[in-house]
Amino acid sequence: MPIQITERDDKAIECAFEDGKKTTYYPGWQLFIDAHDIQEAAELEHDSEQGPVVKRFLTGTAALQDRDVSIIGEPEKKTRTLRLGIFDREIPVKKDEDAFMLHSPLGFANLGFNRADWEIGTDDQWHVSLYLPKAAFDLLLGLVAEGKLVSMRLILRLAIYTMNHPMAPTGRSESLFLRPADPDDSFDWPKTADGHVVNVVVTKTKFDLIPTKPDPYAHEEQEGAEMPLPARAPVDPVAASIAALTENMEKLRTTMKWGVGIIAVVLLFLVGK
């Protein structure tokens, strides 16, 4: 669908559609993305100086938190799941007047869309790519190689569009949009949303990154823990026999007391007669 795009001074764009409807889209959005199933991959590339070289990178599945992304004018392309790629190719981050107000960039990032190609058998594909400094990339690569890294949380600042004004309250379910290509470009390829990486947090590992020592007193503080019963001392047979004899003598003594008392009462009764 042909769309007429008008640039505004505040970097927002006004899009006029064929049905006469006009909508304003505002740029700049901070994205929170959950990434999982992180794996190591490699591809063969040609280097002008070294010839064929193998480039290692990380791949996985990314999911936008509480938001969908689509293309302006193509709402049917809506998705929340993207393919993740992390590379060690450093790309300079272009500065603008408000990009680095609260943080320093960790690397370059972009989010884009590739249309299905029936000739080579590919489907529509959404992707998000991170380009990190080698030191940061090697750290993540090492965790994946050791089987420790399971999932991550990414915070990205991208020039993606939304219908929510920057000064309006942020809606957690607000949809995001890619900008259609300019008339001089092919409409089949929407523009990627470029920006930078704000933060990368490893949210889950198969093993603790910092091993902890077991607490020797932990068992004493467990709730509902049963206290062990004291062990019984072995029984002395001689002492047991003496105790039994003493008990029998006490019973006999008590019986004799009662017998003597009864005899005395009988005698008094007879004397009285």
Side-chain angles (χ1 to χ4, degrees):
M1 176 190 301
I3 301 175
Q4 293 182 354
I5 300 177
T6 303
E7 302 277 355
R8 296 196 343 185
D9 294 338
D10 60 356
K11 298 184 180 180
I13 57 175
E14 291 182 353
C15 298
F17 303 93
E18 283 187 331
D19 58 2
K21 181 180 179 180
K22 293 184 178 181
T23 306
T24 301
Y25 297 87
Y26 303 92
W29 199 269
Q30 186 154 283
L31 281 69
F32 293 84
I33 298 177
D34 290 320
H36 55 276
D37 297 332
I38 313 298
Q39 300 178 7
E40 180 182 351
E43 62 182 353
L44 185 63
E45 292 185 350
H46 179 77
D47 186 271
S48 58
E49 297 181 357
Q50 303 178 20
V53 294
V54 175
K55 292 288 187 179
R56 302 166 72 185
F57 64 98
L58 300 177
T59 184
T61 302
L64 294 169
Q65 290 187 10
D66 304 326
R67 290 182 174 85
D68 296 314
V69 60
S70 61
I71 304 168
I72 294 176
E74 298 183 78
E76 71 277 4
K77 299 297 183 183
K78 181 183 298 185
T79 188
R80 186 172 293 181
T81 304
L82 311 97
R83 183 175 180 179
L84 173 68
I86 304 178
F87 309 88
D88 67 345
R89 306 163 193 164
E90 296 188 38
I91 299 178
V93 180
K94 296 180 180 179
K95 294 184 179 181
D96 56 39
E97 58 269 19
D98 59 351
F100 309 131
M101 291 178 59
L102 301 176
H103 51 75
S104 298
L106 297 178
F108 180 80
N110 62 34
L111 189 154
F113 174 76
N114 293 333
R115 293 191 185 277
D117 190 336
W118 62 270
E119 293 183 351
I120 60 177
T122 59
D123 298 326
D124 288 343
Q125 185 179 93
W126 288 90
H127 58 86
V128 58
S129 301
L130 277 60
Y131 301 88
L132 303 177
K134 183 173 178 56
F137 175 82
D138 288 345
L139 177 61
L140 296 179
L141 184 65
L143 292 176
V144 172
E146 295 173 9
K148 295 182 178 180
L149 196 155
V150 176
S151 62
M152 297 187 301
R153 178 161 298 168
L154 312 174
I155 303 179
L156 311 179
R157 174 81 179 181
L158 302 178
I160 202 166
Y161 289 86
T162 174
M163 290 189 292
N164 197 44
H165 191 279
M167 300 303 293
T170 302
R172 292 297 298 169
S173 59
E174 187 70 25
S175 296
L176 306 173
F177 301 89
L178 290 184
R179 173 176 174 162
D182 294 331
D184 296 337
D185 300 326
S186 172
F187 183 75
D188 291 336
W189 299 96
K191 290 188 172 182
T192 61
D194 297 333
H196 59 274
V197 182
V198 177
N199 200 3
V200 177
V201 179
V202 177
T203 55
K204 187 177 181 181
T205 60
K206 293 183 180 178
F207 307 96
D208 291 335
L209 296 179
I210 303 177
T212 56
K213 296 182 179 179
D215 185 357
Y217 304 103
H219 65 280
E220 298 181 0
E221 300 176 357
Q222 295 178 355
E223 294 185 4
E226 297 183 358
M227 298 296 294
L229 296 176
R232 294 183 178 180
V235 179
D236 186 352
V238 177
S241 300
I242 295 174
L245 180 61
T246 303
E247 184 179 357
N248 293 332
M249 292 296 294
E250 287 294 331
K251 290 181 180 179
L252 179 60
R253 182 180 178 185
T254 301
T255 303
M256 291 179 65
K257 278 184 177 182
W258 280 101
V260 171
I262 293 173
I263 294 173
V265 171
V266 172
L267 291 175
L268 289 175
F269 179 75
L270 290 177
V271 172
K273 282 187 171 185

